Amino acid sequence: MNPPVIVNQLTKTFYDDSRGEVVAVNQISFACQAGQIFGLLGANGAGKTTTLRMLATILKPTGGTATLMGFDVSHQPEEVRRHLGFSSATTALYPRLTARETLEFFARINGCPPATVNERVNALISRFGIRDYADARVDRLSQGMKQKVAIARTVAHDPPVLIFDEPTVGLDVLNALEMQKVIAGFRDEGKTILFSTHIMSEAEKLCDRIAIVDQGRIHACDTLANLRLATGLRYLEDIFVHYIERARTTETR
Amino acid sequence: MRLNLSILATLFRTELRMVLRDRRIIVAAILLPLLILPLMFFGSNWSMKQRERKVQSMAGSYAVTGSRAAEVRELLSRAHERALAKGQTNGLFEEITVTNAVAALNAGEIQVIVEGLNAQEAREKEAANKPPTASSKAAQKPDRSGDKVRRDEKHLPLVDSLVIRLTGRNDRDDSTGTIARLRTALEETRLAARRELLKAANFPVPLEELGTIKQVDLASQGQVAGLALGRMMTLLLLLFVLTGGTVVATDLLAGEKERGTLETLLTTGAGRLEIVLAKHLTVLTVGMLIAFIQSANLLVYIGFKLVPVPGSLAAAVSPWTAALLLALFLPVAALAASVLLLVSGKARTYKEAQLLFFPVFLIGLAPALAPLMPGLTLKSAIALAPVAGIAVAIKEILIGHFDWAMITVTWFATALPAVWLTRISVRFLSAEHLITAADPDVAQLGGGPAMFQQHVWRWFAVMWALLLMLGNYLEKADLRLQLFVNLVGIFLGASTLMLRFYRLNPREALALRLPRPAVWLGTLIAVPGGIISAVGLFQLASLVFPVPSRLLEAFNQSVLPDTIPFWQLLFFLSLMPGVLEEIAFRGMLLHGLRNRMHPALLALVVGMVFGLFHGTLFRFAPTACLGVMLAAVVLLTGSILPAMLWHCLNNALGVLAAHHEIPLTEFDAAGYLTGAGMLVLGFWIIWRHRTAYPELRLRRSERYGGQRKT
Amino acid sequence: MNRPVASPPAQRESGLNWRQVGILYRREFRAALREKTILFNSILIPIFLYPFLLWAAFTGMMFVMGQTETLASRVAVGQWPEQHPRLRHQIERHKQIEIARAVVGEADASEAIRRGELDARIDFRHPDGKAGEMPGNFAASITFDQSKDRSVAARERIQEIIEDYRTTWVERETMARGIHPARWQTFTLDFQNLASESEMGAFVLGLMLPIIFVVMVAVGCFYPAVDAVAGERERGTWETLMSTSATRPSVVAGKYLYVATMGGLAGALNVVAVLLTVKPVFAPLFEEAGRSLKFSLPLSSVPILMLAAVLLAGFVAAGMMLFATFARTFKEGQSMITPFYMLILLPVVFLQVPGLKLTAALALIPVVNITLMLRESISGDLQWLPMLVTLIASAGAILLILRLAAFVLKFEDVVSGTFQGSLFKLLRLRLRKTSRGT
C-alpha cells in the first residue's frame, strides 16, 4: 500500500512587488505512514506553514506534486480536503455559532452523510467532554473550551489524515499537554498525522519521524534515534543546530 | 468546478444564521436605516412645511418712495382691499413711513422698498449703472450690488408709463418672500384693472376668453406617479441594498479573514465556488430583505403623506408590476452583492474593507441616476449599460410603455457582469496574499521607488484639487499666466517633487529613451488620424446614444485671445503642454501605475485621469480619448518622446485650425475613413517597431502572487 | 464562565499631570497621521469629498439641463390659425421645435405621443359661443403626456410661445379699440437686489457651511475616537499604556484632546476647502443666471468659527469617547458610536427652515446652537446674548459628559477593557446596584 501522504519535489515561489521572486519552499520531498506522527521542525519562516498549507490546498504549489490518500493536491483539492483535518493557530472558530452547530456544520460541509451527522456530533461531544457547553455560543467559551471544540471540529468528518500546524502556540502548559495527548491518541487510532513545531521537546516526545526544515529545504528526515546516530548528539536541539549550521555554511561557500 | 448543492445549502444556512445572530449587523444594517429614513423624511418635510408657512404668514412691511409714489400707494391699497375681500387675514403687508428707506431695509425694519418711477427716470437710473439707492455699506467696499435691475415683463415700459421697482435683499428670506407676495398682489390688481378697461371699451369678449390655451394630458394619474417613482426607485433600492449589504459583506469576507475563520473554511470539503456563492446568496438575501423592509417603510410614509408622490401610487404599481420590478431589480442587487463581496475579498481586514467601500458607494450609485436623464429610452445604447439600463427599464415599466425585447437585453446586461464578478471573487479566494493575514510591507520600510507606487494616487489627487482651486483665482488672469502656473507650477513642480522625494531615476520614471526611428514616422501619420477618428467615434456614438452637441464642439474648443501673438500661442498651447503634461501623466502617473494593472487598463486609466484634469464634463471625453492614445504610444514604444511629439502636434493642429477658423467637428465619410486609416497605419507602424515599456504586468497569474511566506 | 459585574470604584488615583498629557497627546497625534484610516477619514475626506461631490453633482445637473435643452420637441399641428400667420411663423421657426408633418389625425397623434414618438400636438380652432363673436380670436389645445419628460418640455415651450403671442395680440386689439397702451400696461415691474455680491455669497455660505461643518467635525472625530480606545485594545497596546507611569486621567485627557483636535481640524480644513472650491464648483450654476457671487468669509466670523470648532469638537469628542470606551474591538467601537453620530447629524435636517434665528431657547440645545451661531456669524447678524448662552450651554454640556466619563472610568473593569457591554449596560447594572443597596 502507498503511504497516505506523499510529497515529491514540492516548491512554492512567491512574487513580491519589492523583493521580486521569493522561494519559500524549495523542492521538498517526504512521505508519511499511517499510524505515525511526522514532524516538521524549523524556525519561524522556515517554510513549514507554507508546506502544510499547500498540502491543505489553501496555497497552490508552483512546482512538484503531493498526494493525500492518493488524491493530487493541485487537481483534486476538494477530494483532498474531504480526507483531511487541518488545524492551526490561525484557523479560528465561528464566534456566533454554538459548539454543537459548529460540529454539525463542519461534519456536513466535509461530506458526512446527512443521516449520520447527528450521531457523529453526539459522539464527538461526549468524546471531547463538551457536553456541558455544547449549546453555548463559541464566543462565550474560555480558551480551553474553545480548544476542545477546535479539535473536535478538525475531526468532525473522521478524516484519515490530520495536519496540525504549531497546535500548541499560545496554549498554557496544561492545555499544551492535553493537546499532545489528544494528538497521540489520534495516532493510536491509526490516523496519519503531520505536525509542525519549533518546540524541540514536543517534537522529541511526539514525532515518529522528524524533518528538519530551514530556508525552504529539508536538511534531514529520519527517526529521532537515527538522527542521534548520524550526528552523535544526544539532544534534538543540538541535532537541529548541527544540521542548520552545516547547511548554511555549505550555502555560503 | 462542480457545484455541490447540499454543501452550498449548508453554507448558506450557516452564513445566514450567523448574520442574523450578530446584533451589530442587525442594528447597523436594518434598525438604523429604518429609524433614520423616516426621521430624515419627517425632518425635511417638516422644515419644508415650516418654510411654506413662514413665507406665507410673514408680515411684510414696505416703504413707498419715488416720484410717482401716490399712484403706487393707490394700487397697493386696491390690492390690499382685494385680499381682505377674499378673506385673507395673514400674509398681508403694511406701509411704514421711514426717512431713509435704504437704511431701514438694511436694518431689517422694512422688507421691501416700493419705488414708483417714470419710465424715463427708471431708464436713466439704469444707465448710470449704479443702484439709485446704493447703500453706504456697498459704497465703501469695491463691491457691486448683487443684481442689476431685473425686469420681468417682455415689453419695455412705454414713455410715460409707471414703473414700479421692488427693491429688496435677496439674502433675507423675509425680503424675498414679501417681494413675491407683493408681486402677485400687484399683478392681480393689474389684471382686474385690465378687465375693467375692456368692459369700459365695450370689448366683445372678456379677457379670459381671448386666445385660450387648454392642456390635454394623455397620461393617467398612475403614469404620472410612475414617473415620479420610476426616477428614484432604482436609486433608493440600490442605496438600501448597498448600505445593508456592505455591513454583511464586510463581515463575510474581510471579517472572516480577520477572525481567521476563512482559513478554517478553506480547509474543509467545500469548494471555493460554493463558499463564494453561499456568501453571495447571503449578501443578496440580506440586501433584498432590507430593500423590502425599507420599501414597506417608505410606503407607510407615502401613505401618511410624509413623502409626496403626485397622482395615485396604487394605480402605478399593481401586484403584477411589482413582481416584474422585483425580477428586474434582482440582477441589480446581485451585481451589488458581487461588487461588495469583491471589495470585501480584496481587503485583508475589516478596516481596510471599509476604506475600500467608500468609492464603491459613490461610483455604484451613479448609474442609477440614468432615469433622471430626459428623453433617454431603453431603445438605445443605455440598455447595454449595467444598472443604468435596468433603472431606465424600471421607469418605463412604471410609466407603462415598455419593450420586452429591450428589457430582456438589459436584464442580461446586468446579470452577466454579476456572474463574472462573482467568478473573480472566487479567484480572490485563491489569491494567496489576500487570504492570509497581512505581513509587514517591505516598501513601507525602505521608502523610495516602491513607496512611490503606493503614493502616486495621492499625489495626483492633490494636484487635481490644486488645479481646481487655483483655477478659481486665476480665472480672470492672462491665459499665459494661467498656463504657466498650471503647467510649470503644478505639473512640472509636482513631478520634480515626486522624483526627488522617492529618489526615482528620471530616465526610467519619465521613460526618456529613444524609440526606433520608424516610430517617429508612425506618430506623424497617426496625429491627424487621431483627431479625425476621435470626432468620428463620437459622431458614431451619437447615432446610438444622443451626444449633446456641446460635446462635439468641445473637440474644437480653444478660445484664442487675439491679443497674444501667434507664435506665443503655439508655445503656450502646444509646446508647453506637449512636454509638461506628458511628463506628469505619461511620465510619473504611468510609471507609478505600470505594474498595478494590465497594460490595456493602464492606458485607459491614465487617459481618464488626464481627461479628469481638464475640468468640465464636455472637455473630458476628447481629452481622455487623446490621453488613452498617448498612453498607448508610450506603452508600446517604452518612450515618452513620441507621445510628446504627438501631443505637441495635436495641440498645434488645434491652434492652427482655430487661428484660421477651420472647424474640426465634422468631416464627410471619406474624411473619417482617411482619418481612421491614418490612425491605424500610424499605430501599425508603431506596433511593428515596438519596444515595450519595462516592468509591465502582463500575465494574470502574477497579479495574485504578491504574498510572502508567514 | 465569568460574568463580569461592574466592580466597585478603584482607589483614587492622582489627578492630571499636564506634562504627561502633552507627551501622550503628541504620541497619539503622530500615530494618527501615520494611520491610513484616520488620515483618510479625518483629513482627506474633509478636504476632497465635498468639493468633489459638489463638483460631480453640479456637473451632472448641468449635463441633464443641457440635454433637455438640446432635445428638439417633435410637435404635430392640427390646423394653423388662419388669421395668425405670425404665430405659425414663430412656432415653425423656433430652434427647438420640429414640426412633424407625417402625423395628421388626432387619434394617430395621441397614439404617437403615448409611444414617445411625438412630444405634443397643438390644435387651433375658432372658439364657439360668445367668445367666437370676435374675429381672430383663437383657442389652442395642447395634447401631451405628463409622464414623459420630453413631452412636458415640449408643452412648456409651446405654451410660452403662444402666451407671448397672445399678450402682444391682445395689446394690439385693445389699441385698435381705442384703449391707450399706457393705461393697458398700467405699470411694469422692476426688481432690484440691494444685497451685494459678497453678501449674497455669505448668504449661500451661511446655508451650506454650518451643516457641512457639523458633519465634518463628526466624521473627523469618529475614527480617532474609535481608534483611541478600541483600536488600542485590539492591537494590544492598551495594557502597555496602562502599565506606564502616566495616571489614568492623564491618559484619558491626552486621548480626549487628540480626538477633539482631529475633529476640529477636520471641520476647519473642510471650511477652507469649501471656501477655496465653492466658486469653480458653483460657477456653472450662477453663470446661467448671469450672476456672480463672491464667496468669502467675513473677517469677523473667523474667531467665531474657531470658537465653534473648539466647542463642537469638544462636545462631539467627549460624547464619542464616552461611548467608545466600552469597545474592545474596532468594529464594536464603530457600532457603539454610530447612534451618537446619527444623533448629532439629525439637527442638520431640521435646520433648513428659513429665518430660523438663534434665540436664547435654541441656544440651549447642543450642536443646534453652534450651527446657528455659525450661520449668523457668517451672514453678519449675530446677537450677543444667544451667543453667550450658546457658549455656556456648550461648555456645560461638555463638562457634563466629561463628568460622566470620569464616573465611568472609576470602574476598573471598564478601564481594563474586561467589562462586556455598552454604556447603557453599565449604567443599568450600576443603578440596580445602588437601588438594591439603599
Side-chain angles (χ1 to χ4, degrees), chain B residues 498-528:
Chain B
M498 282 186 256
L499 283 173
R500 298 208 49 179
F501 197 78
Y502 298 103
R503 304 189 299 276
L504 303 176
N505 179 350
R507 181 183 286 271
E508 264 176 38
L510 300 178
L512 296 172
R513 308 175 187 90
L514 270 183
R516 298 193 183 157
V519 168
W520 298 113
L521 179 69
T523 310
L524 286 178
I525 297 174
V527 173

Side-chain angles (χ1 to χ4, degrees), chain C residues 1-10 326 408 410-422 425-434 436:
Chain C
M1 263 174 54
N2 51 337
R3 273 202 74 83
V5 184
S7 61
F326 293 86
V408 162
K410 277 182 191 157
F411 293 92
E412 209 162 38
D413 52 354
V414 173
V415 176
S416 65
T418 46
F419 180 79
Q420 292 189 6
S422 64
K425 188 171 169 188
L426 178 86
L427 293 179
R428 213 168 53 227
L429 283 176
R430 169 74 194 164
L431 288 179
R432 200 180 295 157
K433 232 172 128 194
T434 42
R436 217 181 285 150

Side-chain angles (χ1 to χ4, degrees), chain A residues 12 14-19 22-24 45-47 49-50 53 56-60 78-79 81-82 84 86 88 90-98 101 104-106 108-111 137 153 215-216, chain B residues 1 4 7 10-11 13-15 17-19 21-22 25 251 256 259-261 263-272 274 279 429-430 432 435-436 441-443 450 595 697 702 705-710:
Chain A
K12 179 73 194 179
F14 293 118
Y15 179 82
D16 180 61
D17 276 343
S18 30
R19 286 186 299 175
V22 179
V23 186
T49 300
T50 309
R53 280 189 175 159
T57 75
I58 299 174
L59 303 183
K60 260 203 168 126
E78 268 94 34
E79 287 302 322
R81 290 200 296 267
R82 217 157 279 182
L84 167 77
F86 182 92
S88 81
T90 47
T91 48
L93 294 171
Y94 286 108
R96 292 191 293 270
L97 290 185
T98 66
E101 281 166 353
E104 225 175 82
F105 172 72
F106 282 100
R108 263 181 218 282
I109 211 156
N110 282 315
R137 281 212 224 166
R153 83 97 193 130
Q215 294 180 340
Chain B
M1 262 184 273
N4 185 330
I7 286 185
T10 311
L11 275 168
R13 257 203 322 274
T14 316
E15 296 278 13
R17 179 185 291 160
M18 286 192 289
V19 164
R21 268 190 201 166
D22 190 341
I25 290 185
D251 197 64
E256 282 220 31
R259 288 192 296 268
T261 48
E263 206 177 322
T264 320
L265 198 59
L266 288 177
T267 58
T268 63
R272 271 120 159 123
E274 283 133 16
K279 289 185 187 296
L429 280 191
S430 316
E432 288 135 13
I435 309 171
T436 46
D441 200 328
V442 175
N595 52 17
R697 171 158 287 175
E702 285 175 20
Q707 196 232 7
R708 288 164 302 276
K709 57 195 166 154
T710 46

